[in-house]
Short mmCIF file of all heavy atoms in Angstrom, two decimals:
data_model
loop_
_atom_site.label_atom_id
_atom_site.label_comp_id
_atom_site.label_asym_id
_atom_site.label_seq_id
_atom_site.Cartn_x
_atom_site.Cartn_y
_atom_site.Cartn_z
N MET A 1 41.84 -12.26 -31.40
CA MET A 1 41.63 -13.62 -30.95
C MET A 1 40.13 -13.82 -30.72
O MET A 1 39.48 -13.03 -30.07
CB MET A 1 42.42 -13.86 -29.67
CG MET A 1 42.17 -15.23 -29.09
SD MET A 1 43.25 -15.70 -27.73
CE MET A 1 42.67 -14.64 -26.43
N ALA A 2 39.61 -14.89 -31.26
CA ALA A 2 38.20 -15.22 -31.09
C ALA A 2 38.01 -16.08 -29.85
O ALA A 2 38.90 -16.83 -29.46
CB ALA A 2 37.69 -15.96 -32.31
N ILE A 3 36.86 -15.97 -29.24
CA ILE A 3 36.53 -16.76 -28.06
C ILE A 3 35.30 -17.61 -28.38
O ILE A 3 34.30 -17.10 -28.90
CB ILE A 3 36.27 -15.86 -26.84
CG1 ILE A 3 37.53 -15.08 -26.50
CG2 ILE A 3 35.80 -16.69 -25.66
CD1 ILE A 3 37.34 -14.06 -25.41
N TYR A 4 35.39 -18.91 -28.07
CA TYR A 4 34.32 -19.85 -28.35
C TYR A 4 34.00 -20.63 -27.09
O TYR A 4 34.79 -20.72 -26.18
CB TYR A 4 34.73 -20.84 -29.45
CG TYR A 4 35.10 -20.18 -30.74
CD1 TYR A 4 36.42 -19.89 -31.06
CD2 TYR A 4 34.13 -19.84 -31.66
CE1 TYR A 4 36.77 -19.29 -32.25
CE2 TYR A 4 34.46 -19.23 -32.86
CZ TYR A 4 35.78 -18.96 -33.15
OH TYR A 4 36.10 -18.36 -34.33
N ASP A 5 32.83 -21.26 -27.07
CA ASP A 5 32.43 -22.14 -25.99
C ASP A 5 32.69 -23.59 -26.39
O ASP A 5 32.69 -23.93 -27.58
CB ASP A 5 30.94 -21.97 -25.67
CG ASP A 5 30.63 -20.60 -25.08
OD1 ASP A 5 31.44 -20.10 -24.28
OD2 ASP A 5 29.58 -20.04 -25.43
N SER A 6 32.87 -24.45 -25.40
CA SER A 6 33.04 -25.88 -25.65
C SER A 6 31.83 -26.38 -26.44
O SER A 6 30.69 -26.06 -26.12
CB SER A 6 33.18 -26.62 -24.33
OG SER A 6 33.41 -27.98 -24.57
N GLY A 7 32.10 -27.16 -27.47
CA GLY A 7 31.03 -27.68 -28.32
C GLY A 7 30.74 -26.85 -29.55
O GLY A 7 30.04 -27.30 -30.45
N ASP A 8 31.27 -25.61 -29.60
CA ASP A 8 31.05 -24.77 -30.78
C ASP A 8 31.72 -25.38 -32.01
O ASP A 8 32.79 -25.99 -31.90
CB ASP A 8 31.63 -23.37 -30.57
CG ASP A 8 30.77 -22.49 -29.68
OD1 ASP A 8 29.67 -22.92 -29.31
OD2 ASP A 8 31.22 -21.37 -29.36
N LEU A 9 31.12 -25.19 -33.16
CA LEU A 9 31.71 -25.58 -34.43
C LEU A 9 32.50 -24.38 -34.94
O LEU A 9 31.97 -23.28 -35.05
CB LEU A 9 30.64 -25.97 -35.44
CG LEU A 9 31.15 -26.44 -36.80
CD1 LEU A 9 31.91 -27.75 -36.65
CD2 LEU A 9 29.98 -26.62 -37.75
N VAL A 10 33.77 -24.60 -35.23
CA VAL A 10 34.66 -23.51 -35.65
C VAL A 10 35.16 -23.80 -37.06
O VAL A 10 35.54 -24.93 -37.37
CB VAL A 10 35.85 -23.39 -34.68
CG1 VAL A 10 36.84 -22.34 -35.16
CG2 VAL A 10 35.36 -23.05 -33.29
N ARG A 11 35.16 -22.77 -37.90
CA ARG A 11 35.70 -22.90 -39.25
C ARG A 11 37.03 -22.16 -39.33
O ARG A 11 37.10 -20.95 -39.10
CB ARG A 11 34.74 -22.32 -40.29
CG ARG A 11 35.31 -22.40 -41.71
CD ARG A 11 34.38 -21.83 -42.73
NE ARG A 11 33.37 -22.83 -43.06
CZ ARG A 11 32.69 -22.84 -44.20
NH1 ARG A 11 32.89 -21.92 -45.11
NH2 ARG A 11 31.80 -23.77 -44.42
N LEU A 12 38.07 -22.91 -39.65
CA LEU A 12 39.38 -22.31 -39.91
C LEU A 12 39.52 -22.19 -41.41
O LEU A 12 39.35 -23.17 -42.13
CB LEU A 12 40.50 -23.21 -39.36
CG LEU A 12 40.39 -23.61 -37.89
CD1 LEU A 12 41.54 -24.54 -37.52
CD2 LEU A 12 40.35 -22.40 -37.00
N SER A 13 39.80 -20.99 -41.89
CA SER A 13 39.87 -20.80 -43.34
C SER A 13 41.15 -20.09 -43.74
O SER A 13 41.79 -19.42 -42.93
CB SER A 13 38.65 -20.02 -43.83
OG SER A 13 38.58 -18.77 -43.19
N ALA A 14 41.48 -20.27 -45.00
CA ALA A 14 42.68 -19.63 -45.55
C ALA A 14 42.41 -19.21 -46.99
O ALA A 14 41.71 -19.91 -47.73
CB ALA A 14 43.86 -20.60 -45.52
N ILE A 15 42.94 -18.07 -47.36
CA ILE A 15 42.85 -17.58 -48.73
C ILE A 15 44.27 -17.43 -49.25
O ILE A 15 45.09 -16.73 -48.64
CB ILE A 15 42.10 -16.23 -48.81
CG1 ILE A 15 40.68 -16.40 -48.28
CG2 ILE A 15 42.10 -15.70 -50.24
CD1 ILE A 15 39.92 -15.09 -48.16
N PHE A 16 44.57 -18.09 -50.36
CA PHE A 16 45.89 -18.06 -50.97
C PHE A 16 45.86 -17.18 -52.22
O PHE A 16 44.92 -17.25 -53.00
CB PHE A 16 46.35 -19.47 -51.33
CG PHE A 16 46.47 -20.37 -50.13
CD1 PHE A 16 45.42 -21.19 -49.75
CD2 PHE A 16 47.63 -20.40 -49.38
CE1 PHE A 16 45.51 -22.02 -48.64
CE2 PHE A 16 47.75 -21.22 -48.27
CZ PHE A 16 46.69 -22.04 -47.90
N THR A 17 46.90 -16.37 -52.38
CA THR A 17 47.00 -15.50 -53.55
C THR A 17 48.36 -15.66 -54.22
O THR A 17 49.32 -16.11 -53.59
CB THR A 17 46.80 -14.02 -53.17
OG1 THR A 17 47.80 -13.65 -52.23
CG2 THR A 17 45.42 -13.78 -52.58
N ASP A 18 48.42 -15.26 -55.48
CA ASP A 18 49.69 -15.29 -56.20
C ASP A 18 50.40 -13.94 -56.04
O ASP A 18 49.94 -13.08 -55.28
CB ASP A 18 49.49 -15.67 -57.66
CG ASP A 18 48.61 -14.71 -58.43
OD1 ASP A 18 48.39 -13.57 -57.96
OD2 ASP A 18 48.13 -15.08 -59.52
N THR A 19 51.49 -13.74 -56.75
CA THR A 19 52.27 -12.50 -56.62
C THR A 19 51.52 -11.28 -57.11
O THR A 19 51.87 -10.16 -56.75
CB THR A 19 53.61 -12.62 -57.36
OG1 THR A 19 53.36 -12.96 -58.73
CG2 THR A 19 54.49 -13.69 -56.72
N ALA A 20 50.46 -11.48 -57.91
CA ALA A 20 49.63 -10.36 -58.38
C ALA A 20 48.45 -10.13 -57.45
O ALA A 20 47.55 -9.36 -57.77
CB ALA A 20 49.15 -10.63 -59.81
N ASN A 21 48.43 -10.83 -56.31
CA ASN A 21 47.37 -10.73 -55.31
C ASN A 21 46.01 -11.22 -55.83
O ASN A 21 44.95 -10.74 -55.44
CB ASN A 21 47.25 -9.30 -54.76
CG ASN A 21 46.63 -9.30 -53.38
OD1 ASN A 21 46.78 -10.27 -52.63
ND2 ASN A 21 45.93 -8.24 -53.04
N VAL A 22 46.06 -12.21 -56.71
CA VAL A 22 44.86 -12.84 -57.26
C VAL A 22 44.74 -14.22 -56.60
O VAL A 22 45.74 -14.94 -56.48
CB VAL A 22 44.97 -12.99 -58.79
CG1 VAL A 22 43.78 -13.77 -59.36
CG2 VAL A 22 45.09 -11.63 -59.44
N THR A 23 43.54 -14.59 -56.17
CA THR A 23 43.40 -15.90 -55.53
C THR A 23 43.88 -17.00 -56.47
O THR A 23 43.59 -16.98 -57.67
CB THR A 23 41.95 -16.18 -55.10
OG1 THR A 23 41.09 -16.05 -56.23
CG2 THR A 23 41.51 -15.27 -53.98
N ALA A 24 44.62 -17.95 -55.89
CA ALA A 24 45.20 -19.03 -56.68
C ALA A 24 45.34 -20.27 -55.81
O ALA A 24 45.53 -20.17 -54.60
CB ALA A 24 46.56 -18.61 -57.21
N ASP A 25 45.26 -21.43 -56.44
CA ASP A 25 45.44 -22.68 -55.72
C ASP A 25 46.93 -23.00 -55.62
O ASP A 25 47.62 -23.06 -56.64
CB ASP A 25 44.73 -23.83 -56.44
CG ASP A 25 43.22 -23.73 -56.36
OD1 ASP A 25 42.73 -23.25 -55.32
OD2 ASP A 25 42.55 -24.14 -57.31
N PRO A 26 47.42 -23.21 -54.41
CA PRO A 26 48.82 -23.60 -54.26
C PRO A 26 49.00 -25.07 -54.65
O PRO A 26 48.03 -25.81 -54.79
CB PRO A 26 49.10 -23.39 -52.77
CG PRO A 26 47.77 -23.45 -52.12
CD PRO A 26 46.77 -23.00 -53.13
N THR A 27 50.23 -25.49 -54.79
CA THR A 27 50.53 -26.88 -55.11
C THR A 27 50.06 -27.80 -53.99
O THR A 27 49.49 -28.86 -54.23
CB THR A 27 52.04 -27.07 -55.34
OG1 THR A 27 52.47 -26.16 -56.34
CG2 THR A 27 52.36 -28.47 -55.77
N THR A 28 50.29 -27.39 -52.75
CA THR A 28 49.92 -28.18 -51.58
C THR A 28 49.28 -27.27 -50.53
O THR A 28 49.76 -26.17 -50.31
CB THR A 28 51.16 -28.86 -50.96
OG1 THR A 28 51.82 -29.62 -51.96
CG2 THR A 28 50.77 -29.77 -49.82
N VAL A 29 48.22 -27.75 -49.90
CA VAL A 29 47.58 -27.03 -48.80
C VAL A 29 47.68 -27.91 -47.56
O VAL A 29 47.17 -29.03 -47.56
CB VAL A 29 46.11 -26.70 -49.11
CG1 VAL A 29 45.44 -26.03 -47.92
CG2 VAL A 29 46.01 -25.81 -50.33
N VAL A 30 48.34 -27.37 -46.52
CA VAL A 30 48.55 -28.13 -45.29
C VAL A 30 48.06 -27.30 -44.11
O VAL A 30 48.32 -26.10 -44.03
CB VAL A 30 50.05 -28.46 -45.10
CG1 VAL A 30 50.28 -29.18 -43.78
CG2 VAL A 30 50.56 -29.30 -46.26
N LEU A 31 47.35 -27.95 -43.19
CA LEU A 31 46.89 -27.32 -41.96
C LEU A 31 47.52 -28.08 -40.79
O LEU A 31 47.39 -29.29 -40.69
CB LEU A 31 45.37 -27.37 -41.85
CG LEU A 31 44.77 -26.94 -40.51
CD1 LEU A 31 45.06 -25.47 -40.22
CD2 LEU A 31 43.28 -27.23 -40.47
N ARG A 32 48.20 -27.34 -39.91
CA ARG A 32 48.79 -27.92 -38.71
C ARG A 32 48.08 -27.31 -37.51
O ARG A 32 47.76 -26.12 -37.53
CB ARG A 32 50.27 -27.60 -38.62
CG ARG A 32 51.08 -28.12 -39.77
CD ARG A 32 52.53 -27.65 -39.70
NE ARG A 32 53.25 -27.96 -40.90
CZ ARG A 32 53.79 -29.14 -41.19
NH1 ARG A 32 53.69 -30.13 -40.32
NH2 ARG A 32 54.43 -29.33 -42.32
N PHE A 33 47.81 -28.12 -36.49
CA PHE A 33 47.14 -27.58 -35.31
C PHE A 33 47.68 -28.22 -34.04
O PHE A 33 48.26 -29.31 -34.06
CB PHE A 33 45.63 -27.77 -35.40
CG PHE A 33 45.18 -29.20 -35.37
CD1 PHE A 33 44.92 -29.85 -34.17
CD2 PHE A 33 45.03 -29.91 -36.55
CE1 PHE A 33 44.52 -31.17 -34.15
CE2 PHE A 33 44.63 -31.24 -36.53
CZ PHE A 33 44.38 -31.86 -35.33
N LEU A 34 47.49 -27.49 -32.94
CA LEU A 34 47.88 -27.96 -31.61
C LEU A 34 46.73 -27.67 -30.67
O LEU A 34 46.26 -26.54 -30.56
CB LEU A 34 49.14 -27.23 -31.13
CG LEU A 34 49.64 -27.57 -29.72
CD1 LEU A 34 50.06 -29.03 -29.64
CD2 LEU A 34 50.78 -26.65 -29.34
N LYS A 35 46.25 -28.72 -29.98
CA LYS A 35 45.13 -28.59 -29.04
C LYS A 35 45.66 -28.26 -27.64
O LYS A 35 46.84 -28.48 -27.36
CB LYS A 35 44.34 -29.89 -28.99
CG LYS A 35 43.65 -30.24 -30.29
CD LYS A 35 42.90 -31.54 -30.15
CE LYS A 35 42.18 -31.91 -31.43
NZ LYS A 35 41.42 -33.17 -31.28
N PRO A 36 44.79 -27.77 -26.76
CA PRO A 36 45.21 -27.42 -25.40
C PRO A 36 45.80 -28.60 -24.61
O PRO A 36 46.64 -28.40 -23.74
CB PRO A 36 43.94 -26.93 -24.72
CG PRO A 36 43.01 -26.60 -25.82
CD PRO A 36 43.39 -27.44 -26.99
N ASP A 37 45.38 -29.82 -24.93
CA ASP A 37 45.90 -30.99 -24.21
C ASP A 37 47.23 -31.49 -24.75
O ASP A 37 47.75 -32.50 -24.31
CB ASP A 37 44.87 -32.12 -24.21
CG ASP A 37 44.56 -32.65 -25.61
OD1 ASP A 37 45.16 -32.18 -26.59
OD2 ASP A 37 43.69 -33.54 -25.72
N GLY A 38 47.78 -30.78 -25.75
CA GLY A 38 49.08 -31.14 -26.31
C GLY A 38 49.00 -32.01 -27.55
O GLY A 38 49.99 -32.23 -28.23
N ALA A 39 47.80 -32.50 -27.87
CA ALA A 39 47.63 -33.29 -29.10
C ALA A 39 47.81 -32.39 -30.31
O ALA A 39 47.42 -31.22 -30.29
CB ALA A 39 46.25 -33.94 -29.12
N SER A 40 48.41 -32.93 -31.35
CA SER A 40 48.63 -32.14 -32.57
C SER A 40 48.23 -32.95 -33.78
O SER A 40 48.00 -34.16 -33.70
CB SER A 40 50.09 -31.72 -32.68
OG SER A 40 50.92 -32.86 -32.79
N GLY A 41 48.12 -32.29 -34.90
CA GLY A 41 47.76 -32.97 -36.12
C GLY A 41 48.16 -32.18 -37.34
O GLY A 41 48.43 -30.98 -37.26
N VAL A 42 48.22 -32.88 -38.45
CA VAL A 42 48.54 -32.28 -39.74
C VAL A 42 47.56 -32.83 -40.76
O VAL A 42 47.40 -34.05 -40.87
CB VAL A 42 49.98 -32.61 -40.18
CG1 VAL A 42 50.28 -32.01 -41.54
CG2 VAL A 42 50.99 -32.13 -39.15
N PHE A 43 46.88 -31.95 -41.47
CA PHE A 43 45.98 -32.35 -42.54
C PHE A 43 46.50 -31.78 -43.85
O PHE A 43 46.94 -30.63 -43.90
CB PHE A 43 44.56 -31.82 -42.32
CG PHE A 43 43.85 -32.41 -41.14
CD1 PHE A 43 43.05 -31.62 -40.35
CD2 PHE A 43 43.96 -33.75 -40.83
CE1 PHE A 43 42.36 -32.15 -39.27
CE2 PHE A 43 43.29 -34.29 -39.75
CZ PHE A 43 42.48 -33.49 -38.97
N THR A 44 46.41 -32.58 -44.91
CA THR A 44 46.82 -32.13 -46.24
C THR A 44 45.63 -32.27 -47.17
O THR A 44 45.00 -33.34 -47.23
CB THR A 44 48.00 -32.97 -46.76
OG1 THR A 44 49.08 -32.87 -45.83
CG2 THR A 44 48.47 -32.47 -48.11
N TYR A 45 45.29 -31.20 -47.89
CA TYR A 45 44.16 -31.22 -48.80
C TYR A 45 44.36 -32.30 -49.87
O TYR A 45 45.44 -32.46 -50.41
CB TYR A 45 43.99 -29.85 -49.47
CG TYR A 45 42.91 -29.84 -50.52
CD1 TYR A 45 41.57 -29.87 -50.15
CD2 TYR A 45 43.21 -29.82 -51.87
CE1 TYR A 45 40.56 -29.87 -51.09
CE2 TYR A 45 42.22 -29.82 -52.83
CZ TYR A 45 40.90 -29.85 -52.44
OH TYR A 45 39.90 -29.86 -53.38
N GLY A 46 43.29 -33.02 -50.13
CA GLY A 46 43.31 -34.03 -51.19
C GLY A 46 43.78 -35.39 -50.75
O GLY A 46 43.92 -36.29 -51.57
N THR A 47 44.03 -35.58 -49.46
CA THR A 47 44.49 -36.88 -48.97
C THR A 47 43.45 -37.54 -48.08
O THR A 47 43.78 -38.28 -47.17
CB THR A 47 45.82 -36.75 -48.20
OG1 THR A 47 45.60 -35.89 -47.06
CG2 THR A 47 46.92 -36.19 -49.06
N GLY A 48 42.19 -37.24 -48.32
CA GLY A 48 41.12 -37.87 -47.56
C GLY A 48 40.78 -37.15 -46.27
O GLY A 48 40.00 -37.63 -45.48
N THR A 49 41.34 -35.98 -46.05
CA THR A 49 41.06 -35.23 -44.84
C THR A 49 39.83 -34.35 -45.04
O THR A 49 39.26 -34.28 -46.11
CB THR A 49 42.25 -34.34 -44.44
OG1 THR A 49 42.46 -33.37 -45.47
CG2 THR A 49 43.51 -35.15 -44.23
N ALA A 50 39.47 -33.66 -44.00
CA ALA A 50 38.27 -32.83 -44.02
C ALA A 50 38.50 -31.41 -44.55
O ALA A 50 37.62 -30.58 -44.47
CB ALA A 50 37.67 -32.75 -42.62
N ILE A 51 39.69 -31.12 -45.05
CA ILE A 51 39.92 -29.80 -45.64
C ILE A 51 39.09 -29.70 -46.91
O ILE A 51 39.12 -30.60 -47.75
CB ILE A 51 41.40 -29.55 -45.96
CG1 ILE A 51 42.22 -29.51 -44.67
CG2 ILE A 51 41.57 -28.24 -46.74
CD1 ILE A 51 43.72 -29.35 -44.90
N ALA A 52 38.35 -28.62 -47.04
CA ALA A 52 37.50 -28.43 -48.21
C ALA A 52 37.98 -27.23 -49.02
O ALA A 52 38.52 -26.28 -48.47
CB ALA A 52 36.06 -28.21 -47.78
N ARG A 53 37.79 -27.29 -50.32
CA ARG A 53 38.10 -26.18 -51.22
C ARG A 53 36.78 -25.53 -51.59
O ARG A 53 35.92 -26.14 -52.22
CB ARG A 53 38.81 -26.69 -52.47
CG ARG A 53 39.16 -25.61 -53.46
CD ARG A 53 39.90 -26.24 -54.66
NE ARG A 53 40.17 -25.27 -55.68
CZ ARG A 53 39.35 -24.99 -56.70
NH1 ARG A 53 38.19 -25.61 -56.80
NH2 ARG A 53 39.68 -24.08 -57.59
N GLU A 54 36.61 -24.27 -51.18
CA GLU A 54 35.37 -23.54 -51.45
C GLU A 54 35.34 -23.02 -52.88
O GLU A 54 34.32 -23.09 -53.57
CB GLU A 54 35.22 -22.39 -50.46
CG GLU A 54 33.89 -21.71 -50.52
CD GLU A 54 33.71 -20.73 -49.38
OE1 GLU A 54 34.21 -20.98 -48.27
OE2 GLU A 54 33.05 -19.69 -49.62
N LYS A 55 36.45 -22.45 -53.30
CA LYS A 55 36.64 -21.97 -54.67
C LYS A 55 38.13 -21.75 -54.85
O LYS A 55 38.91 -21.99 -53.93
CB LYS A 55 35.84 -20.69 -54.92
CG LYS A 55 36.19 -19.53 -54.01
CD LYS A 55 35.29 -18.34 -54.27
CE LYS A 55 35.62 -17.22 -53.30
NZ LYS A 55 34.76 -16.05 -53.51
N THR A 56 38.54 -21.27 -56.00
CA THR A 56 39.96 -21.07 -56.26
C THR A 56 40.63 -20.30 -55.13
O THR A 56 40.21 -19.20 -54.79
CB THR A 56 40.17 -20.32 -57.59
OG1 THR A 56 39.57 -21.07 -58.64
CG2 THR A 56 41.65 -20.11 -57.88
N GLY A 57 41.64 -20.92 -54.53
CA GLY A 57 42.43 -20.26 -53.50
C GLY A 57 41.81 -20.18 -52.12
O GLY A 57 42.43 -19.67 -51.19
N VAL A 58 40.58 -20.67 -51.93
CA VAL A 58 39.88 -20.55 -50.65
C VAL A 58 39.62 -21.96 -50.09
O VAL A 58 38.90 -22.75 -50.69
CB VAL A 58 38.56 -19.78 -50.79
CG1 VAL A 58 37.85 -19.66 -49.45
CG2 VAL A 58 38.81 -18.40 -51.38
N TYR A 59 40.21 -22.22 -48.91
CA TYR A 59 40.11 -23.53 -48.27
C TYR A 59 39.64 -23.37 -46.84
O TYR A 59 39.87 -22.34 -46.22
CB TYR A 59 41.47 -24.23 -48.28
CG TYR A 59 41.96 -24.55 -49.67
CD1 TYR A 59 42.55 -23.58 -50.46
CD2 TYR A 59 41.80 -25.82 -50.19
CE1 TYR A 59 42.99 -23.87 -51.75
CE2 TYR A 59 42.23 -26.13 -51.47
CZ TYR A 59 42.82 -25.15 -52.24
OH TYR A 59 43.25 -25.44 -53.51
N TYR A 60 39.00 -24.42 -46.30
CA TYR A 60 38.58 -24.36 -44.90
C TYR A 60 38.52 -25.75 -44.29
O TYR A 60 38.48 -26.77 -44.99
CB TYR A 60 37.24 -23.65 -44.75
CG TYR A 60 36.06 -24.38 -45.33
CD1 TYR A 60 35.33 -25.28 -44.56
CD2 TYR A 60 35.67 -24.17 -46.65
CE1 TYR A 60 34.24 -25.95 -45.09
CE2 TYR A 60 34.59 -24.83 -47.18
CZ TYR A 60 33.88 -25.72 -46.40
OH TYR A 60 32.81 -26.40 -46.93
N TRP A 61 38.52 -25.77 -42.96
CA TRP A 61 38.36 -27.00 -42.18
C TRP A 61 37.47 -26.65 -41.00
O TRP A 61 37.66 -25.62 -40.36
CB TRP A 61 39.72 -27.49 -41.70
CG TRP A 61 39.68 -28.74 -40.86
CD1 TRP A 61 39.28 -29.98 -41.26
CD2 TRP A 61 40.07 -28.86 -39.51
NE1 TRP A 61 39.41 -30.87 -40.22
CE2 TRP A 61 39.90 -30.21 -39.12
CE3 TRP A 61 40.57 -27.96 -38.56
CZ2 TRP A 61 40.18 -30.67 -37.84
CZ3 TRP A 61 40.85 -28.43 -37.29
CH2 TRP A 61 40.66 -29.77 -36.94
N GLU A 62 36.48 -27.49 -40.72
CA GLU A 62 35.57 -27.25 -39.60
C GLU A 62 35.78 -28.32 -38.54
O GLU A 62 35.98 -29.49 -38.86
CB GLU A 62 34.12 -27.26 -40.07
CG GLU A 62 33.80 -26.11 -40.97
CD GLU A 62 32.36 -26.11 -41.44
OE1 GLU A 62 31.77 -27.19 -41.60
OE2 GLU A 62 31.84 -25.01 -41.66
N THR A 63 35.72 -27.89 -37.28
CA THR A 63 35.87 -28.82 -36.17
C THR A 63 35.07 -28.35 -34.97
O THR A 63 34.84 -27.16 -34.81
CB THR A 63 37.36 -28.97 -35.78
OG1 THR A 63 37.49 -30.00 -34.80
CG2 THR A 63 37.93 -27.68 -35.24
N GLY A 64 34.63 -29.29 -34.17
CA GLY A 64 33.96 -28.96 -32.92
C GLY A 64 35.00 -28.87 -31.81
O GLY A 64 35.93 -29.66 -31.75
N LEU A 65 34.85 -27.89 -30.95
CA LEU A 65 35.79 -27.72 -29.84
C LEU A 65 35.35 -28.57 -28.66
O LEU A 65 34.19 -28.53 -28.26
CB LEU A 65 35.87 -26.25 -29.43
CG LEU A 65 36.33 -25.30 -30.52
CD1 LEU A 65 36.37 -23.88 -29.98
CD2 LEU A 65 37.68 -25.70 -31.06
N VAL A 66 36.28 -29.31 -28.09
CA VAL A 66 35.97 -30.20 -26.98
C VAL A 66 36.68 -29.75 -25.70
O VAL A 66 36.06 -29.63 -24.66
CB VAL A 66 36.38 -31.65 -27.32
CG1 VAL A 66 36.08 -32.57 -26.15
CG2 VAL A 66 35.66 -32.12 -28.57
N ASN A 67 37.97 -29.52 -25.79
CA ASN A 67 38.77 -29.17 -24.62
C ASN A 67 38.84 -27.66 -24.43
O ASN A 67 39.06 -26.93 -25.39
CB ASN A 67 40.19 -29.71 -24.76
CG ASN A 67 40.23 -31.21 -24.90
OD1 ASN A 67 39.42 -31.90 -24.31
ND2 ASN A 67 41.15 -31.71 -25.70
N PRO A 68 38.67 -27.17 -23.20
CA PRO A 68 38.85 -25.74 -22.97
C PRO A 68 40.33 -25.38 -23.06
O PRO A 68 41.20 -26.20 -22.78
CB PRO A 68 38.33 -25.54 -21.54
CG PRO A 68 38.45 -26.87 -20.89
CD PRO A 68 38.29 -27.89 -21.98
N GLY A 69 40.61 -24.18 -23.49
CA GLY A 69 41.99 -23.71 -23.59
C GLY A 69 42.26 -23.08 -24.94
O GLY A 69 41.35 -22.82 -25.72
N THR A 70 43.52 -22.87 -25.22
CA THR A 70 43.93 -22.20 -26.45
C THR A 70 44.31 -23.22 -27.51
O THR A 70 45.10 -24.14 -27.25
CB THR A 70 45.14 -21.27 -26.17
OG1 THR A 70 44.75 -20.33 -25.16
CG2 THR A 70 45.54 -20.52 -27.42
N TYR A 71 43.76 -23.06 -28.68
CA TYR A 71 44.07 -23.89 -29.84
C TYR A 71 44.96 -23.08 -30.77
O TYR A 71 44.69 -21.89 -31.00
CB TYR A 71 42.81 -24.29 -30.60
CG TYR A 71 41.93 -25.29 -29.89
CD1 TYR A 71 41.18 -24.92 -28.78
CD2 TYR A 71 41.84 -26.59 -30.36
CE1 TYR A 71 40.36 -25.85 -28.14
CE2 TYR A 71 41.02 -27.52 -29.72
CZ TYR A 71 40.29 -27.14 -28.61
OH TYR A 71 39.49 -28.04 -27.97
N TYR A 72 45.98 -23.70 -31.33
CA TYR A 72 46.86 -23.01 -32.27
C TYR A 72 46.74 -23.72 -33.63
O TYR A 72 46.62 -24.94 -33.68
CB TYR A 72 48.31 -23.07 -31.82
CG TYR A 72 48.55 -22.35 -30.51
CD1 TYR A 72 48.49 -23.03 -29.30
CD2 TYR A 72 48.82 -20.98 -30.50
CE1 TYR A 72 48.71 -22.36 -28.10
CE2 TYR A 72 49.03 -20.32 -29.31
CZ TYR A 72 48.97 -21.01 -28.11
OH TYR A 72 49.18 -20.35 -26.93
N TYR A 73 46.78 -22.94 -34.70
CA TYR A 73 46.75 -23.54 -36.02
C TYR A 73 47.53 -22.68 -37.00
O TYR A 73 47.75 -21.48 -36.78
CB TYR A 73 45.32 -23.75 -36.53
CG TYR A 73 44.60 -22.48 -36.89
CD1 TYR A 73 44.57 -22.02 -38.20
CD2 TYR A 73 43.94 -21.72 -35.92
CE1 TYR A 73 43.91 -20.85 -38.53
CE2 TYR A 73 43.27 -20.56 -36.24
CZ TYR A 73 43.26 -20.13 -37.55
OH TYR A 73 42.61 -18.97 -37.87
N ARG A 74 47.98 -23.32 -38.07
CA ARG A 74 48.71 -22.61 -39.11
C ARG A 74 48.47 -23.32 -40.44
O ARG A 74 48.57 -24.54 -40.52
CB ARG A 74 50.20 -22.60 -38.80
CG ARG A 74 51.01 -21.84 -39.83
CD ARG A 74 52.44 -21.74 -39.42
NE ARG A 74 53.14 -20.90 -40.36
CZ ARG A 74 54.24 -20.28 -40.10
NH1 ARG A 74 54.79 -20.40 -38.92
NH2 ARG A 74 54.81 -19.54 -41.00
N TRP A 75 48.14 -22.54 -41.43
CA TRP A 75 47.97 -23.08 -42.79
C TRP A 75 49.31 -23.04 -43.49
O TRP A 75 50.11 -22.16 -43.30
CB TRP A 75 46.99 -22.23 -43.58
CG TRP A 75 45.58 -22.41 -43.17
CD1 TRP A 75 44.89 -21.60 -42.31
CD2 TRP A 75 44.67 -23.42 -43.57
NE1 TRP A 75 43.61 -22.06 -42.16
CE2 TRP A 75 43.45 -23.18 -42.93
CE3 TRP A 75 44.78 -24.52 -44.42
CZ2 TRP A 75 42.33 -23.99 -43.12
CZ3 TRP A 75 43.67 -25.31 -44.60
CH2 TRP A 75 42.46 -25.05 -43.96
#
């Protein structure tokens, strides 16, 4: 578990691979998150959200932390 200070910019990243363990782009990339205050969100790549594709199979989303506490996320 990583520890950050309020105001830090955090990059959440994911690497997707196929059955041969080679990086590959999935049909859909979705990021779900839950903030300490109970607010939640869902971002889908390619729908105007801030999810970026770095290269084949590698995606990330950057956000600044505002609320203290534990943040949960899942790609």
Side-chain angles (χ1 to χ4, degrees):
M1 176 171 70
I3 298 174
Y4 301 96
D5 293 322
S6 183
D8 283 354
L9 182 66
V10 176
R11 178 180 279 204
L12 306 178
S13 59
I15 299 173
F16 298 94
T17 59
D18 61 17
T19 56
N21 205 29
V22 175
T23 55
D25 290 327
T27 305
T28 305
V29 176
V30 177
L31 171 63
R32 300 174 190 278
F33 65 89
L34 177 64
K35 295 180 179 181
D37 64 2
S40 62
V42 178
F43 293 141
T44 302
Y45 175 73
T47 61
T49 64
I51 294 176
R53 179 179 175 270
E54 189 171 326
K55 59 184 177 181
T56 301
V58 180
Y59 295 80
Y60 67 90
W61 179 65
E62 293 180 329
T63 187
L65 300 181
V66 179
N67 300 325
T70 303
Y71 289 72
Y72 297 92
Y73 71 96
R74 182 174 186 157
W75 286 97

